[in-house]
Amino acid sequence: MPEGPELHLASLFVNRMCGGVVFTGPVQKSEVSKNPEVSFSCPAYTIIATSRGKEVRLTLTPQKSDSVNQVQTMDIVFRFGMSGFFRFTTEAELPKHSHLRFYTNEKPCRVLSFVDTRRFGSWQPNGTWQLNRGPCIMFEYLSYRENVLSHLSDRAFDRPICEVLLNQKYFNGIGNYLRAEILFRLNIPPFVKARTVLEGLQTHLSDEDRKSVVKVEVTDTEVKEEVTNTETPDLLRLCHTVPLEVIKLGGKGYDPEKMDYTDFKSWLQCYCVKGMKSVRDHNGRTMWFKGDPGPMAPKGEALAEPKTEGNPSTIQQSLTPVSG
């Protein structure tokens, strides 16, 4: 399933491909999709993408003219599910599983498509960020950190830390491969109570801590983040910085044209790596780790080790386009 970095790279992809491009006509939905129709039609409009955690928002903005002054700007919020991603192609090269399509006013025209083989993804016309999702781990770090530590009495934190890291109410953007990589780096057993891991951290950052967190600037090829605090990062900090490492891989993490995951597989230290162990958590999700799983590990679950390092089919299920 695509995670925060892939969703953000998807937004960068849309902005790179659609910058300066004018779209026209109605937004078209495939006949097989059960998602809602998008009631938007305009002679000339532009598209800009924004990401937040595990969501991407496309903003359709009519160009100013007397003929379109009745058409209102529309936001469409996407969740990628297991296999969603965007493609920008000619009409003749339209992908087979293209379920929402935006056409340019060129001749021949090109098409921005939301492609979703498994059809678990969704979109919401006139949508907003889901209210039950917390601040973005990557680009709203201070708010995300405070949101976690001010709610440690929540029963959600009675669960193992590996399962809580998938709770988008608190860790908006974290998914299966990220939780494995983050816990591995800190040598934290995945099945220890989340509250035990987190309760020693400060709820409010000191002035010195805040100086170490500055605005993150992301381009298609670079992530700029000035860090002045050189102390060992804690779990919440790594939930912020490890996804940024994936973004720094650029197109090697999200490349719907080439689907090249070579750099990503080299970056992985734990997830699907030879010598690591795996076990299904209480929700049936595979957790990769090293050493002792911890006291809250599911009973009767056998530990397994991968036969080959970086199993491509498993890795691709966490990315795009058998990814997102």
Side-chain angles (χ1 to χ4, degrees):
M1 181 177 183
E3 308 183 17
E6 288 75 53
L7 273 289
H8 185 69
L9 287 166
S11 71
L12 295 182
F13 172 82
V14 170
N15 291 337
R16 182 172 69 251
M17 303 306 292
C18 300
V21 176
V22 177
F23 293 79
T24 190
V27 178
Q28 295 186 7
K29 182 177 79 74
S30 70
E31 294 180 357
V32 297
S33 175
K34 296 182 180 179
N35 280 301
E37 297 282 352
V38 176
S39 299
F40 182 93
S41 182
C42 182
Y45 66 96
T46 57
I47 297 177
I48 296 177
T50 310
S51 74
R52 184 177 187 265
K54 284 194 178 184
E55 297 178 293
V56 171
R57 181 181 65 204
L58 297 189
T59 299
L60 316 184
T61 304
Q63 290 194 326
K64 292 182 178 180
S65 73
D66 291 338
S67 62
V68 297
N69 58 10
Q70 298 301 315
V71 182
Q72 300 297 316
T73 296
M74 176 182 283
D75 288 332
I76 308 173
V77 176
F78 291 80
R79 289 118 203 164
F80 281 18
M82 291 294 293
S83 59
F85 65 100
F86 289 110
R87 285 287 302 273
F88 192 57
T89 66
T90 65
E91 189 173 15
E93 298 171 327
L94 200 64
K96 179 179 179 181
H97 298 285
S98 173
H99 294 301
L100 197 66
R101 299 181 288 270
F102 308 82
Y103 291 82
T104 70
N105 68 351
E106 305 162 307
K107 292 185 178 180
C109 74
R110 291 180 290 173
V111 187
L112 175 68
S113 302
F114 178 66
V115 185
D116 186 9
T117 304
R118 299 184 184 183
R119 284 190 261 168
F120 290 154
S122 65
W123 60 77
Q124 179 186 7
N126 296 309
T128 58
W129 304 127
Q130 282 186 325
L131 296 178
N132 60 349
R133 292 177 182 266
C136 178
I137 54 167
M138 296 174 293
F139 303 109
E140 298 172 305
Y141 173 68
L142 296 177
S143 298
Y144 133 73
R145 184 182 180 99
E146 187 162 345
N147 182 52
V148 172
L149 294 176
S150 63
H151 289 89
L152 287 183
S153 60
D154 191 321
R155 291 178 58 185
F157 294 95
D158 291 337
R159 302 179 67 86
I161 184 62
C162 67
E163 296 176 11
V164 173
L165 287 177
L166 298 185
N167 187 334
Q168 301 302 294
K169 181 178 179 180
Y170 297 109
F171 295 92
N172 185 11
I174 296 294
N176 213 27
Y177 81 78
L178 283 175
R179 68 171 179 172
E181 295 299 313
I182 292 164
L183 294 176
F184 172 80
R185 294 190 186 195
L186 292 173
N187 197 29
I188 296 175
F191 293 96
V192 297
K193 184 180 290 188
R195 188 178 295 106
T196 301
V197 176
L198 297 168
E199 62 187 356
L201 306 182
Q202 290 181 324
T203 302
H204 300 286
L205 298 180
S206 66
D207 290 340
E208 187 63 30
D209 290 330
R210 288 179 180 274
K211 291 179 182 178
S212 72
V213 184
V214 300
K215 181 180 180 181
V216 180
E217 297 182 3
V218 182
T219 67
D220 289 346
T221 59
E222 189 174 10
V223 177
K224 296 180 180 180
E225 183 190 27
E226 180 183 349
V227 178
T228 59
N229 189 339
T230 59
E231 295 181 1
T232 302
D234 60 29
L235 175 64
L236 296 180
R237 179 69 175 175
L238 279 187
C239 288
H240 165 67
T241 59
V242 172
L244 293 180
E245 292 179 15
V246 180
I247 292 177
K248 288 180 182 180
L249 297 176
K252 299 301 182 181
Y254 182 90
D255 192 342
E257 302 296 331
K258 298 180 180 179
M259 292 180 272
D260 181 358
Y261 304 116
T262 304
D263 286 4
F264 177 78
K265 288 188 286 186
S266 299
W267 172 83
L268 292 169
Q269 299 178 32
C270 178
Y271 183 79
C272 290
V273 172
K274 186 176 181 179
M276 297 295 127
K277 300 175 182 177
S278 67
V279 64
R280 291 187 180 275
D281 65 20
H282 295 91
N283 298 315
R285 302 291 301 278
T286 301
M287 178 67 215
W288 295 88
F289 64 97
K290 181 179 181 180
D292 182 8
M296 300 180 73
K299 305 300 181 183
E301 280 285 338
L303 303 183
E305 297 186 13
K307 295 181 180 179
T308 58
E309 183 171 357
N311 182 288
S313 63
T314 306
I315 290 174
Q316 288 178 356
Q317 289 175 14
S318 297
L319 289 175
T320 52
V322 180
S323 60

